[in-house]
Amino acid sequence: MATLYSSLAREIVERIEQGLYRPGDRMPGVRILSAQRGVSIATAVAAYRRLEDDGYIEARQRSGFYVRARPHPRVAEPEASAPRVRPSPVTGQELVLQLVKATNTPGIIQLGAAVPDPSYLPTRAIERALSRAARQRLRIMAYEFPPGAPELRRQIARRMAEIGCPVDPDEVVITNGCQEALILALRAVTQPGDVVAIESPTFYGMLQALDSLGLEALEIPTHPRTGLSLEALGLALERWPVKACVAVPNYSNPLGYCMPDEHKRRLVALLKARGIPLIEDDVYGDLGFAQRRPSVCRAIPGADVLYCASFSKTLSSGLRIGWIAPGRHLERVEYLKYVNNLATATVPQLAIADLLESGGYERFLRQVRGDYARAVTRMVDAVTRHFPEGTKITQPEGGFVIWIELPKDIDSFELARRALTEKISIAPGPIFSATQKYRNYIRISCACAWDTRIETALAALGRMIRQETAPVPESRMTTRRDAD
Ligand SMILES: Cc1ncc(COP(=O)(O)O)c(C=O)c1O
């Protein structure tokens, strides 16, 4: 039987879908809604929370509820990838250092690296937490040996319990960001020369980790809505001696999909049946556009999962605080962390523990999720306006990057080089593949400070792309209907 609040939520959805409330409109306050509908304030709040969970509206701090920008139903999306499923060493990652250096170069329009502009981050709260941490004079002078500061591990364990994945604080090892967590996970379960199954396209930091550890990448076809193809993975596991599988099931980088719960269960079962550990990268898990936090594979009973995450995309990438909950590989991971760099710096650990303890994290997440959703919508709009016919764009459900398929004859390496001469940084597709596929794709980070320079940069990119393609009539973008 439908509850009162869910009936009320459904009615409001109908009004939003009829266009009576449009994206950006403020919804009636809860008191007004309660008086208008003759329901209690608690029921009105519950209806709004349901709409928030379902991604229809968002709460803005001290200002009420607003209709969220909906995804662009008419923009065509790239199809599932179809890499050749055969183990291969990683090549072609040299350009990446140049790309990430651009993020710190003044005057460069930074659309390349997936690093949020500081305007998205709670810089003041971090500053205060850091100065409080710095006052613990004797404590911060010492190594905080693995597994890391107990107060931070306690806060992380609390947060993981809140997202449905209870772990003991002693099962958490603090790392220098998610990148170190991923490397520790790979080192714990593989030897040089082993084969690791990965999503394709995938985050280039993972490819560099495989490269530096002498591991071979087995690129698995991946769908921009549902993630790793479980059928292709199943066949690959029959054929190749895979020692680990890495996935970013929640808002992957660069595709932005959220793997459905049923797929997560099937993925875990498939790997478990063959005794293969899953390295789960959940660095974007807190950044979904619908307010309901997606599930994690690590929470599935019996799963052999090394769970890796960090605060780089939510609080600060510069503090370099991440963690790993490696399950049965704990002892090995702790030892490898110690060998790697003895400890993670103490001050940032204490500062993040302080921030989490003060309870502001959840409130901040609500705000930043809305900010990233708006940034993505705005970027998709602008790319749609400036890029030529045939351009396809992903519709991420979280995070802040978009993956763009350009006309077939575009060489995105060349485009990135040309763009850099005009002080624009973009990420070319081949760096997301072990074997330099995705030549006509680019990834764009949407979490930039938006001003007219961004529009100008996108217009310039659009011009460069047009110059590289055969002349085509200036008509509208390919639409999903066209693609059907
Ligand atoms: C999917 C993914 N995993 C891991 C990382 C690295 O995170 P960190 O900065 O915490 O090391 C990134 C950074 O871009 C990422 O996109």
Side-chain angles (χ1 to χ4, degrees):
M1 206 180 68
T3 53
L4 191 53
Y5 81 86
S6 60
S7 309
L8 180 56
R10 215 174 20 254
E11 268 180 53
I12 300 171
V13 167
E14 276 168 25
R15 291 184 197 169
I16 292 173
E17 286 179 345
Q18 286 162 352
L20 298 180
Y21 295 108
R22 303 172 64 84
D25 282 356
R26 187 168 190 270
M27 299 300 294
V30 280
R31 281 177 201 287
I32 294 174
L33 183 68
S34 118
Q36 278 174 347
R37 310 309 307 268
V39 296
S40 68
I41 288 195
T43 301
V45 169
Y48 276 165
R49 289 285 176 224
R50 160 59 70 87
L51 294 176
E52 205 184 0
D53 282 348
D54 292 344
Y56 284 96
I57 63 173
E58 65 193 0
R60 294 194 197 154
Q61 237 180 344
R62 284 192 282 278
S63 167
F65 290 92
Y66 288 78
V67 179
R68 276 231 350 243
R70 305 290 293 158
H72 297 250
R74 296 183 67 245
V75 178
E77 289 174 288
E79 317 236 307
S81 66
R84 189 152 169 244
V85 187
R86 158 181 290 276
S88 157
V90 174
T91 57
Q93 291 294 311
E94 295 75 16
L95 189 85
V96 175
L97 193 57
Q98 196 183 339
L99 174 85
V100 293
K101 278 184 181 167
T103 63
N104 292 338
T105 311
I108 296 266
I109 305 214
Q110 206 291 103
L111 304 175
V115 178
D117 183 81
S119 56
Y120 289 84
L121 302 173
T123 44
R124 287 261 160 74
I126 287 172
E127 197 183 312
R128 285 194 296 268
L130 278 170
S131 57
R132 278 194 296 271
R135 272 183 240 132
Q136 299 192 41
R137 238 176 290 142
L138 296 182
R139 178 92 186 274
I140 64 171
M141 293 300 161
Y143 287 119
E144 196 61 72
F145 286 116
E151 51 273 72
L152 177 57
R153 290 185 291 108
R154 201 166 45 247
Q155 288 303 326
I156 288 171
R158 209 167 86 178
R159 169 93 196 130
M160 287 190 67
E162 281 165 12
I163 66 167
C165 183
V167 294
D168 192 277
D170 289 339
E171 290 175 72
V172 173
V173 180
I174 305 301
T175 58
N176 293 334
C178 190
Q179 181 73 7
E180 188 185 31
L182 294 168
I183 290 179
L184 294 175
L186 285 169
R187 287 187 66 195
V189 299
T190 63
Q191 300 290 330
D194 282 351
V195 175
V196 177
I198 56 169
E199 297 159 340
S200 183
T202 196
F203 158 58
Y204 44 75
M206 172 46 58
L207 295 170
Q208 289 144 22
L210 297 180
D211 183 25
S212 71
L213 297 174
L215 298 166
E216 301 231 323
L218 183 64
E219 294 184 83
I220 305 295
T222 302
H223 192 280
R225 287 266 161 163
T226 52
L228 268 177
S229 159
L230 299 177
E231 289 66 35
L233 178 64
L235 291 172
L237 298 184
E238 299 273 325
R239 177 132 193 238
W240 307 105
V242 173
K243 289 297 186 322
C245 174
V246 185
V248 190
N250 297 327
Y251 319 123
S252 83
N253 172 6
L255 293 177
Y257 62 80
C258 184
M259 192 183 240
D261 284 352
E262 179 51 26
H263 285 224
K264 287 176 182 157
R265 276 192 290 275
R266 282 172 52 207
L267 171 65
V268 165
L270 186 63
L271 295 172
K272 194 176 167 200
R274 293 172 182 277
I276 300 170
L278 173 65
I279 298 174
E280 179 177 30
D281 178 345
D282 199 31
V283 75
Y284 292 100
D286 280 341
L287 293 176
F289 301 155
Q291 301 285 333
R292 191 176 290 135
R293 202 329 176 153
S295 65
V296 298
C297 296
R298 174 72 162 76
I300 296 170
D304 182 9
V305 175
L306 299 96
Y307 176 92
C308 304
S310 79
F311 297 103
S312 296
K313 312 295 176 186
T314 49
L315 293 177
S316 157
S317 47
L319 291 186
R320 306 305 303 134
I321 296 295
W323 75 98
I324 176 167
R328 70 187 181 88
H329 310 278
L330 176 65
E331 213 175 303
R332 179 89 186 128
V333 164
E334 260 191 53
Y335 171 71
L336 289 170
K337 164 67 192 173
Y338 167 72
V339 172
N340 224 22
N341 44 37
L342 301 188
T344 288
T346 309
V347 170
Q349 293 194 59
L350 300 183
I352 295 222
D354 175 315
L355 264 175
L356 295 179
E357 200 178 345
S358 66
Y361 184 61
E362 193 54 52
R363 205 171 343 108
F364 170 69
L365 279 183
R366 277 183 184 275
Q367 182 192 317
V368 79
R369 280 193 290 245
D371 291 345
Y372 285 152
R374 278 188 292 281
V376 167
T377 303
R378 194 171 46 196
M379 188 64 84
V380 172
D381 262 340
V383 170
T384 306
R385 273 184 280 113
H386 292 297
F387 281 28
E389 183 176 4
T391 302
K392 295 179 181 177
I393 313 170
T394 48
Q395 305 267 309
E397 294 173 62
F400 51 81
V401 297
I402 53 175
W403 180 242
I404 302 176
E405 182 180 344
L406 300 170
K408 286 264 175 300
D409 40 357
I410 291 293
D411 176 347
S412 61
F413 264 135
E414 200 38 52
L415 181 68
R417 258 190 288 272
R418 255 190 90 184
L420 215 47
T421 63
E422 298 204 18
K423 296 203 177 312
I424 306 163
S425 162
I426 55 168
I431 63 175
F432 297 85
S433 159
T435 49
Q436 301 182 48
K437 293 179 229 323
Y438 311 116
R439 198 106 199 140
N440 59 316
Y441 290 76
I442 57 172
R443 188 199 67 187
I444 281 190
S445 169
C446 310
C448 45
W450 193 270
D451 60 27
T452 51
R453 293 181 326 139
I454 307 285
E455 284 275 350
T456 311
L458 292 170
L461 284 171
R463 253 192 327 276
M464 290 177 216
I465 296 165
R466 281 194 179 81
Q467 282 164 7
E468 296 301 317
T469 46
V472 284
E474 291 277 328
S475 56
R476 65 192 172 84
M477 300 274 292
T478 304
T479 64
R480 189 193 293 254
R481 204 168 295 134
D482 294 328
D484 282 344

